[in-house]
Amino acid sequence: MTAQSFRRWQVGDVRITRIVETAPVSAPVSLMFPEDDDSLIAPHLDWLNPHFVDADGQMLVAWQCFVVETPDRRIMVDTCIGNDRKRYFDIFNDMHNPFLEDLRSAGYPPESIDTVLCTHLHYDHVGWNTRLVDGKWVPTFPNARYLFGKVEWDYMIGLAESGDWHHAGHVPDCLLPIMGAGLADLIDTNFEVCQQIRLLPTPGHTPGHVSIHIESQGEVAVITGDIMHHPLQMAIPDKPCAFDHDKAQACCTRQTFLTRYQDSDALVIGSHFPEPTAGRVLSHESAWRFEGQVSDIQITTRGEPSVTKAANANEQLVLDFFTTLSTGDLKQLGTFIDADTTWTPMIENVPGAGTHTGKAICEEFLAPVRGLFVDGDPKVHVDSIVSSNDKVMCETRGVGMLRNGRSYNNLYAWAFQIQDGRIKAIREYMDSHYVMTTIVDGQP
C-alpha cells in the first residue's frame, strides 16, 4: 500500500522523515504471545485506544523506515520488506508497493542517500537494500555505504550456512548483493555514525540488534528497531515475545531501554508503531506506557497519484528539475539553468517577485526564498504534467515548514519553455494571497 502521508520530526538540526511501506495490519495478541489471548491487552486499552488497536481490540502493527537527515548526511534507517520477494508470510510475497516513488515524493531520491543503517538484518528491515533489475538484485542506493553490524552479519550468515531459510531466506537477495558490490561496512554495535547519530546496543531480538540514538542541540530521539513491536510491550516488558531470538536477553534489554528514556523529553520512535509513531515513554503503575505525540508531529501529504513518469524527454527534464529543487542543492540546480534562462514568478509584492535571469535565479532569488524555510524545505510534489512541442505545463504543491514556525502547503502552476533539451523560460503561478498571509505576514 502507498504511504498517504509522510511524518517529519525535527530534533535540533536533524530531521527525521517516516516513509510507510505497508499500512498497519491487525494482529491478535497470540501472534507475539502464543500462550495468551485478548485478556492480556484488555487492562491497557485505556491508553492503547484509539491509535494502537483496532475496533476489535486487535494490535495494529506497521512496516516503515526512516530517513535521518543531518546538515551534511542523508541516512536511511532500515529498508522495510521490498518488492518482488518470496517470503514466509504470504502477505509479503510479490509485493509491488510504490515505495521508491514515495521516497522521491518525500524529497529523497535513492541516489541522494549516502548511508543505509540497519538496526538488524531481518527480512523486513533490509528488503529495499536491493531492487530487481533485469532479473538481477542490485543496490537500491548506489551512492550509499551500507552499515551492517558485524555481530549481526555473522549471526545471519551462520543461519544461511546452516540451511535455516525460514530466518535467512532473504540473505541471497538483500544482503549478499550489497557485499558483492563492495558497498557494505561491518561495524560494532556502539558505532558512531556522525556527530549527531550513534548506535545503542539493544541485543535480544537478535544478537547484534541496535537502536539509533539521535542527539542534537540538546534534543534527543531514538529509533527503537525491534526491541518492541507494539506499545503494549511497554506495559509488559518482561513478557517473552515469540519474535525474539534470546527471549531473556530481550526482556532485560526492554526494561533497560525503557528505564533510560522514561519520563524524559526524548522522542521515542517505534519502528513498527502505527500512527502516532513517535512519543514519550511514561512510567505507569509498575511498568510504562506510551504517549504518542499527535499534535506535535509535522505532516507532509502528497496527492494521489504522484507523478513519477514522463511522456517524453522534455517532461522528464522538468521532473528532474523539481526533484533537484526539492533537495535544496542550488549548485546542482544551476546545471539546469543557462545564462539566458529566465524565471518569472507571476506575483507582486512578495519575496521573489519579478524576472530573474541566469545565475541570479539561484543566487539572488532561490537562496533567499529557501532561507525562509527550515533546512531541507520546501519539498515540491508534481501532481500533473502535460506537454506540447517545446512547452511543458504542470501543477505542483510546495510543502514544508517555515522558520517562523508556520507550516506551508501551497498550490502552483508552471509553464516551461524547452529548447534543445535546455530550460529557457519558467513562468510560475501560485496562490499569492496564501504567500502573503503565510510568509510575509508571518515574518518576525
Side-chain angles (χ1 to χ4, degrees):
M1 296 180 66
T2 184
Q4 299 300 319
S5 63
F6 313 115
R7 292 296 189 183
R8 301 188 196 274
W9 304 275
Q10 195 73 31
V11 180
D13 61 3
V14 177
R15 165 167 289 191
I16 305 167
T17 301
R18 183 198 69 185
I19 310 292
V20 175
E21 181 187 38
T22 300
V25 299
S26 298
V29 168
S30 60
L31 180 67
M32 289 199 296
F33 307 105
E35 297 180 0
D36 290 276
D37 56 24
D38 291 347
S39 63
L40 182 68
I41 202 171
H44 313 290
L45 289 176
D46 59 332
W47 62 269
L48 290 174
N49 271 313
H51 303 295
F52 305 117
V53 293
D54 66 13
D56 297 321
Q58 302 287 289
M59 297 184 303
L60 291 172
V61 182
W63 281 263
Q64 54 210 354
C65 73
F66 306 92
V67 179
V68 181
E69 187 175 13
T70 76
D72 56 1
R73 301 286 293 273
R74 282 190 167 186
I75 302 167
M76 172 72 72
V77 176
D78 291 336
T79 61
C80 298
I81 301 161
N83 287 351
D84 305 304
R85 317 287 168 156
K86 296 294 183 183
R87 297 295 180 245
Y88 179 79
F89 294 102
D90 289 342
I91 189 175
F92 300 137
N93 280 337
D94 298 312
M95 296 203 316
H96 293 92
N97 287 333
F99 179 82
L100 296 183
E101 288 84 352
D102 288 343
L103 196 60
R104 292 187 183 96
S105 294
Y108 302 110
E111 297 78 14
S112 72
I113 301 297
D114 58 62
T115 306
V116 175
L117 179 58
C118 298
T119 59
H120 61 298
L121 299 182
H122 278 167
Y123 71 92
D124 57 331
H125 292 255
V126 299
W128 280 105
N129 281 0
T130 59
R131 59 192 179 96
L132 190 62
V133 178
D134 297 329
K136 181 180 179 181
W137 296 106
V138 301
T140 302
F141 307 99
N143 299 319
R145 299 301 302 178
Y146 288 70
L147 306 184
F148 299 149
K150 186 179 187 307
V151 172
E152 191 74 2
W153 175 268
D154 291 343
Y155 165 68
M156 195 57 62
I157 294 303
L159 291 178
E161 290 176 347
S162 71
D164 184 355
W165 296 113
H166 170 65
H167 293 101
H170 59 287
V171 169
D173 58 84
C174 294
L175 300 181
L176 295 184
I178 302 302
M179 190 63 74
L183 297 180
D185 296 322
L186 299 182
I187 60 175
D188 294 331
T189 55
N190 60 353
F191 184 77
E192 183 174 297
V193 180
C194 59
Q195 180 182 357
Q196 302 91 345
I197 302 169
R198 59 183 173 83
L199 306 188
L200 180 67
T202 47
H205 179 64
T206 60
H209 187 282
V210 297
S211 300
I212 313 302
H213 182 92
I214 301 161
E215 191 164 352
S216 175
Q217 299 179 3
E219 298 181 6
V220 174
V222 60
I223 299 173
T224 63
D226 282 6
I227 59 171
M228 294 172 286
H229 293 78
H230 191 272
L232 171 64
Q233 291 177 278
M234 294 187 183
I236 50 173
D238 56 350
K239 184 80 171 176
C241 174
F243 299 155
D244 293 334
H245 164 77
D246 185 331
K247 293 176 174 53
Q249 177 65 68
C251 290
C252 181
T253 292
R254 267 191 297 278
Q255 296 201 48
T256 300
F257 177 93
L258 293 167
T259 300
R260 174 178 184 145
Y261 292 105
Q262 69 179 3
D263 302 324
S264 71
D265 291 331
L267 188 71
V268 177
I269 304 173
S271 292
H272 286 288
F273 291 7
E275 180 64 32
T277 303
R280 298 175 63 222
V281 173
L282 300 180
S283 53
H284 182 65
E285 297 178 350
S286 60
W288 297 270
R289 67 178 177 86
F290 187 61
E291 182 180 72
Q293 293 189 358
V294 178
S295 60
D296 292 337
I297 299 174
Q298 302 171 20
I299 308 173
T300 302
T301 304
R302 75 172 177 83
E304 287 294 338
S306 181
V307 175
T308 57
K309 293 184 179 180
N312 53 56
N314 285 348
E315 290 185 12
Q316 187 61 56
L317 177 65
V318 171
L319 291 179
D320 291 343
F321 170 86
F322 282 122
T323 296
T324 305
L325 180 61
S326 280
T327 68
D329 187 343
L330 297 185
K331 182 178 180 181
Q332 182 63 28
L333 190 72
T335 63
F336 290 83
I337 295 169
D338 295 332
D340 60 347
T341 300
T342 60
W343 184 327
T344 306
M346 306 302 290
I347 53 176
E348 295 181 354
N349 303 318
V350 298
T355 297
H356 311 276
T357 305
K359 289 184 178 180
I361 291 174
C362 291
E363 297 173 0
E364 300 174 15
F365 167 41
L366 291 178
V369 170
R370 290 194 72 92
L372 298 172
F373 292 80
V374 300
D375 294 343
D377 277 350
K379 305 300 183 189
V380 180
H381 307 299
V382 181
D383 291 326
S384 65
I385 188 167
V386 295
S387 60
S388 176
N389 298 322
D390 63 347
K391 302 292 193 302
V392 177
M393 286 69 69
C394 59
E395 296 175 314
T396 71
R397 283 169 299 108
V399 179
M401 185 66 62
L402 290 155
R403 294 190 185 276
N404 62 24
R406 297 186 177 191
S407 60
Y408 187 84
N409 193 330
N410 200 5
L411 299 176
Y412 292 77
W414 304 78
F416 287 78
Q417 181 179 352
I418 313 297
Q419 181 179 324
D420 298 326
R422 303 293 297 170
I423 297 174
K424 290 301 179 182
I426 305 170
R427 285 179 175 262
E428 174 189 10
Y429 303 82
M430 69 190 77
D431 182 343
S432 56
H433 175 73
Y434 182 89
V435 174
M436 288 290 292
T437 56
T438 305
I439 295 183
V440 178
D441 292 348
Q443 290 304 299

